Amino acid sequence: MTLVDIAGSGLAELTCARLLAERGHRFRLAAPPAPGGARPLLLTGPTLELLGSLWDDRLLDGGRSLSHRRVRWGSGAKPTRFPQPARAVDGAELTARIRDRLGPGNRSTDPPAWTVTAAAPTDGSALLSAGRRSLLAGTAPLRRRRDRSTAELGCAELGWVHLTPLGGDDCLVQAMVPGPAAHPAALLERILGESGLADRLGGPPSTVVALAAAPRVHLAPARPPAAGEPGRLVVGAGALRQDPLSGTGTAQALRTAILAASVIDAAARGRPASGLCAHYTRRLRVAFHDHLRTCLRLYETAFPTGAWRDEIDATRRALRPRAPLAQPAP
């Protein structure tokens, strides 16, 4: 049995641990994270199906069920409301439940054969990013008598904004802008007003954070064991971060966990680890390019001129062919 260090408590890392255990391997969990604030997530159909197949539907007990989505994409578009079952959940609570189900894991002091982590390089040297855009996020109260079962997406000149009812009167407010935001609260209030969605809220969020949100891929997410050092597999957003507009980021994080567990299991069965790591890297690159093509089509439609031009150009550059991936050293 292979011993694997799970160096984090994210959804992808913990799911990888579960899959490894099912294949007869041992995992060793990192210390649990310090308690923090809520991390709202909106999980739509494909993500819910994948999460349910890997765990079960009870994992999402207590989340807010949504039934529809209303979208106005582009300045001249008319809003369209359509069915879209979804769940708004607290990501921190979700991973805490998963950790409880996993139990303590292996407590030996044996050296691991692999390490699985969602941590990205701190200096960014091994990351390929497609742009510099930022996600603005905060919570605000919904107005009374507003629909609490429909998520809403609207557009303004500077970007898109999304409202996700979280239960009760709370609403997650997110907006994407084409670059760093020096004054995120003021910028989010402006986009809300221009998009026409401000009247859904009792007021703008009082506290807003700005997060780097351009799609990016790790250029070297897989390293085979060598010279007494464990192999290393980067999963989740550390391996591939998607634009949240797609709504598929959580599903993609789970797919990296599935693929990473398969790499480790195949290596334990005698397959060359260097070739498996190269395959893992190629799969991420393909997924990254597929995602960029979707982003390019959507952003060219909604923001054909003006402030988004640099982001669109950056997406095109990231799609240019690169040198073939080198075979990792054994």
Side-chain angles (χ1 to χ4, degrees):
M1 294 187 295
T2 299
L3 175 61
V4 180
D5 272 349
I6 306 297
S9 294
L11 183 58
E13 294 153 312
L14 298 179
T15 297
C16 187
R18 159 76 179 272
L19 295 172
L20 289 169
E22 289 179 346
R23 290 167 168 82
H25 303 292
R26 298 177 294 160
F27 62 86
R28 185 164 51 205
L29 294 176
R39 292 189 289 107
L41 290 175
L42 180 64
L43 308 178
T44 56
T47 303
L48 292 173
E49 292 175 8
L50 184 55
L51 194 60
S53 69
L54 293 169
W55 296 93
D56 59 61
D57 294 337
R58 293 174 298 167
L59 193 67
L60 302 178
D61 287 351
R64 173 74 179 185
S65 294
L66 305 178
S67 60
H68 288 75
R69 197 180 194 196
R70 182 181 290 108
V71 174
R72 185 178 69 83
W73 187 247
S75 58
K78 294 182 178 180
T80 301
R81 185 174 182 268
F82 53 90
Q84 187 183 65
R87 296 288 289 273
V89 301
D90 180 351
E93 182 177 332
L94 181 64
T95 53
R97 289 181 180 180
I98 289 175
R99 192 181 176 100
D100 286 344
R101 293 192 184 190
L102 288 174
N106 189 275
R107 293 180 175 176
S108 76
T109 57
D110 297 340
W114 295 85
T115 296
V116 173
T117 178
T122 55
D123 62 358
S125 60
L127 297 172
L128 173 63
S129 295
R132 301 172 64 237
R133 53 192 177 269
S134 297
L135 183 71
L136 314 179
T139 57
L142 283 166
R143 286 188 185 273
R144 292 183 178 180
R145 301 187 181 87
R146 284 295 179 184
D147 184 354
R148 281 158 167 71
S149 63
T150 299
E152 302 205 42
L153 175 68
C155 278
E157 181 180 356
L158 273 181
W160 57 260
V161 60
H162 193 273
L163 307 184
T164 304
L166 297 175
D169 291 332
D170 291 333
C171 181
L172 174 64
V173 184
Q174 297 172 299
M176 186 72 82
V177 294
H183 304 286
L187 188 54
L188 180 53
E189 185 173 0
R190 172 185 167 185
I191 294 174
L192 277 168
E194 292 178 357
S195 69
L197 294 180
D199 64 354
R200 278 24 175 212
L201 304 174
S206 57
T207 302
V208 179
V209 297
L211 307 170
R216 70 183 187 192
V217 66
H218 199 309
L219 297 176
R223 183 189 70 205
E229 292 293 321
R232 184 177 178 86
L233 289 166
V234 184
V235 297
L240 175 61
R241 184 174 70 194
Q242 296 189 331
D243 189 304
L245 176 66
S246 69
T248 59
T250 301
Q252 184 58 50
L254 292 170
R255 293 186 191 105
T256 66
I258 296 168
L259 187 56
S262 296
V263 166
I264 293 170
D265 186 58
R269 296 174 187 277
R271 296 278 298 276
S274 57
L276 294 167
C277 287
H279 175 70
Y280 185 83
T281 302
R282 283 193 293 268
R283 288 281 298 272
L284 290 185
R285 189 74 60 83
V286 169
F288 180 61
H289 283 179
D290 287 346
H291 177 67
L292 291 187
R293 293 186 188 97
T294 299
C295 289
L296 186 61
R297 174 175 54 83
L298 291 172
Y299 283 116
E300 282 184 324
T301 300
F303 311 111
T305 60
W308 277 85
R309 179 50 51 193
D310 286 347
E311 289 297 301
I312 291 171
D313 289 344
T315 302
R316 290 200 182 99
R317 287 194 297 271
L319 279 167
R320 291 173 183 167
R322 297 175 62 87
L325 295 174
Q327 190 84 348

